[in-house]
Amino acid sequence: MAVTLDFQDKVVIVVGGTSGINRGIAETFAGQGACVAVASRSQDKVDDTVASLLKAGASKAIGQAFDVRDSEAVAAGLTFFHEQLGDFDILVSGAAGNFPALVADMSVNAFRAVVEIDLMGTLHVMKASYPFLKKPGCSIINISAPQGYQPSEAQGHVGAAKAGVDQITRVLALEWGKEGIRINSVVPGFIADTEGMKRLSASEESLAVSIDYTPLNRLGEKTDVANMCLMLSSELAGFVTGQVIEVDGGLYLRGSSLFGKALGDMLRAQKT
Ligand code: HXC
Ligand code: NAP
């Protein structure tokens, strides 16, 4: 039997979907004829993304600006998406903040900012979406990061937050499984042309190290991550839930702690 993936008119919500990897995910679902909604803080980025989703082939595209740290704003935004599009078939939660900083050198507020965006933001999105999830059938994907399981210098804030995101994924797989909701984390490795790589791997030299460090010997593309999201949201993955799935060219096998050491060394050198 030929396998077909059919996302025509499926309702896909991508929180943090207005740039980088998450926008790539939104555009990929749009290319499959889905109804796609995106959200982030910037109305300009939301408007620009909605236009690109329609161009990519979305059967409908809408957006709303909100900050995932504000639980009431998240609830209002997701209610608006539900009013406009109906129950959610697919929910992707990927809003995140990151910068390289050693724990001793960053303010408590700096650590908190990242935890509030990545971890509390994910919680707000999960809780506010719950009444609107298609039951049975919804596929939820939380976008995580290798730092969540691989301790990396200068990434204590992100590591703590993403470890929490992955545990939310596992717990909700247990709590919501009976209702036919599947939830998984997707962990991108080093992905080309993204804000994350710009912030953590800015120089040509460190990009070359990232490539060398990745067993498949290349950076990932946004489509590599988006294709996994398509697969996970299809019937092909109908018995997959509670998993943390790397899309990283094998980086997991090697671990990324040397990458973290390079970041730590860079920051320590800047202090001397
Ligand atoms: C130390 C810093 C800092 C830095 C900000 N802060 N940048 N501390 N080093 N480089 C501190 C500030 O001084 C402040 O603390 C606190 O963090 C909050 O900063 P604000 O600018 O007030 O916060 P806000 O405007 O809310 O912005 C949040 C942000 C920002 C996280 C700081 O960078 C952001 O909006 N990022 C979103 C986009 C992004 O980061 N994308 C990359 C995702 S990549 P004080 O004490 O002064 O108040 C990713 C994984 C990549 O997640 C993995 C690659 C392998
Ligand atoms: P990005 O382009 O900066 O994407 C982050 C998105 O989140 C943007 O749309 C941003 O839009 C939004 N956002 C940030 N803070 C927000 C907030 N408080 N409220 C609402 N929206 C917010 O970064 P990226 O590099 O593509 O990363 C995307 C995801 O992949 C993140 O979850 C990241 O942790 C993960 N990841 C990336 C890499 C990589 O190689 N780049 C590797 C591992 C994991 P606004 O700024 O307009 O709000």
Side-chain angles (χ1 to χ4, degrees):
M1 192 180 75
V3 173
T4 52
L5 301 183
D6 181 9
F7 294 103
Q8 187 69 42
D9 299 324
K10 294 283 184 202
V11 175
V12 181
I13 312 297
V14 186
V15 179
T18 62
S19 63
I21 293 170
N22 305 327
R23 178 164 168 162
I25 295 167
E27 287 173 349
T28 297
F29 277 107
Q32 300 294 313
C35 302
V36 186
V38 289
S40 80
R41 293 168 297 180
S42 150
Q43 189 64 51
D44 285 351
K45 283 170 70 177
V46 166
D47 293 342
D48 184 66
T49 306
V50 167
S52 87
L53 294 173
L54 290 170
K55 224 169 161 184
S59 59
K60 278 186 199 158
I62 60 172
Q64 175 101 336
F66 58 75
D67 189 319
V68 293
R69 290 170 284 194
D70 178 346
S71 60
E72 284 178 14
V74 173
L78 291 168
T79 301
F80 170 72
F81 290 160
H82 186 251
E83 285 164 0
Q84 297 295 310
L85 302 176
D87 283 357
F88 305 165
D89 294 289
I90 295 151
L91 169 66
V92 180
S93 176
N98 195 2
F99 45 81
L102 298 165
V103 171
D105 297 339
M106 84 174 104
S107 69
V108 167
N109 198 43
F111 196 99
R112 182 183 292 121
V114 170
V115 170
E116 291 273 345
I117 299 169
D118 295 26
L119 179 55
M120 294 308 293
T122 301
L123 178 78
H124 296 155
V125 171
M126 296 299 106
K127 280 186 73 67
S129 299
Y130 177 67
F132 308 140
L133 304 178
K134 189 160 281 172
K135 307 178 191 81
C138 184
S139 162
I140 303 175
I141 296 169
N142 287 326
I143 305 299
S144 187
Q147 294 92 321
Y149 49 75
Q150 176 74 61
S152 295
E153 292 175 53
Q155 292 285 273
H157 45 352
V158 181
K162 294 291 194 180
V165 168
D166 291 342
Q167 201 65 325
I168 287 179
T169 292
R170 297 183 187 101
V171 169
L172 293 185
L174 293 170
E175 293 187 0
W176 294 353
K178 269 207 176 73
E179 294 171 272
I181 296 166
R182 294 184 300 105
I183 173 165
N184 295 285
S185 285
V186 164
V187 181
F190 299 128
I191 307 299
D193 194 22
T194 59
E195 186 61 30
M197 284 304 281
K198 223 178 284 167
R199 289 178 182 223
L200 300 187
S201 202
S203 69
E204 285 298 316
E205 192 191 355
S206 87
L207 264 188
V209 170
S210 303
I211 293 169
D212 182 56
Y213 213 49
T214 300
L216 284 181
N217 205 42
R218 67 170 174 88
L219 297 178
E221 300 296 329
K222 291 169 202 138
T223 48
D224 290 318
V225 182
N227 288 341
M228 175 56 75
C229 295
L230 285 183
M231 204 273 276
L232 274 178
S233 303
S234 77
E235 288 179 13
L236 291 177
F239 205 46
V240 180
T241 195
Q243 302 304 306
V244 176
I245 297 170
E246 289 79 21
V247 182
D248 67 352
L251 179 69
Y252 174 80
L253 301 171
R254 195 158 272 152
S256 52
S257 60
L258 273 183
F259 174 78
K261 181 170 184 305
L263 272 181
D265 289 344
M266 180 190 80
L267 293 173
R268 281 183 287 271
Q270 284 169 6
K271 286 202 285 182
T272 54

